[in-house]
Amino acid sequence: MRRLFASASLALLFLFGACAQADEREAVIETQDGAVHRFAVELALTPDEQRRGLMYREELAEDSGMLFFYPACTPAHFWMMNTLIPLDMIFIEADGRIARIAEMTVPETLDVHESGVPVNGVLEVKGGLTRRLGIGEGDFVRHPWFGEGGEATCG
């Protein structure tokens, strides 16, 4: 009986852990006009993952992206060295509000794209997508890291 209980407990822990990870693998953008856009996101958490980002990728699906997270507000600076596809870079404040969007960044350049203000995260999506979907500054990114109860903080 003890073995059965231990196995069931481990299964529940695994299930809840998988659910928590699944929630982090989706970012939802809510626009000011009420539209909702869902993205499956890869997480760039470690310094190495953040340095590599989406380098060397030859394509990116319309409903996917990469989400970078900073545990405290910091000015963000990105470039496109070794990035083969144009991207839109969405700079996110601690409350989830989109502070700035760098649209259609030019592949394989060293042009610096800045957040303009301290941010807690950046979501990279396929270039031109934010304009096509009507996503803009002031819209919100919903993800467990941002907003009320999120992990991000400023100050």
Side-chain angles (χ1 to χ4, degrees):
M1 185 67 151
R2 187 176 288 163
R3 183 176 290 164
L4 179 61
F5 179 74
S7 295
S9 296
L10 284 174
L12 284 173
L13 284 173
F14 176 78
L15 178 63
F16 286 123
C19 289
Q21 281 187 338
D23 290 344
E24 288 187 353
R25 301 270 180 196
E26 180 179 71
V28 177
I29 297 180
E30 297 174 358
T31 65
Q32 294 177 47
D33 67 2
V36 175
H37 306 285
R38 297 183 184 285
F39 297 90
V41 292
E42 294 178 56
L43 305 177
L45 300 173
T46 68
D48 191 49
E49 290 169 338
Q50 291 181 351
R51 269 190 299 277
R52 184 171 175 89
L54 290 170
M55 288 181 179
Y56 309 109
R57 305 280 180 97
E58 294 182 4
E59 60 186 345
L60 184 63
E62 296 260 333
D63 63 347
S64 66
M66 181 169 279
L67 184 58
F68 299 74
F69 178 69
Y70 311 112
C73 289
T74 186
H77 306 85
F78 281 63
W79 61 13
M80 296 289 287
M81 183 177 74
N82 299 321
T83 305
L84 307 176
I85 55 176
L87 299 172
D88 287 354
M89 298 174 185
I90 302 169
F91 297 94
I92 309 162
E93 296 183 61
D95 64 357
R97 185 181 314 272
I98 297 173
R100 180 173 182 277
I101 299 174
E103 293 184 46
M104 288 298 293
T105 57
V106 179
E108 300 189 84
T109 64
L110 296 179
D111 299 341
V112 177
H113 305 281
E114 300 180 2
S115 60
V117 298
V119 295
N120 280 109
V122 179
L123 174 60
E124 292 182 334
V125 296
K126 189 172 189 169
L129 192 61
T130 56
R131 183 175 299 266
R132 280 197 314 278
L133 296 178
I135 296 169
E137 294 176 9
D139 292 343
F140 280 89
V141 176
R142 303 295 184 200
H143 185 273
W145 292 342
F146 310 109
E148 189 174 322
E151 296 178 25
T153 60
C154 288

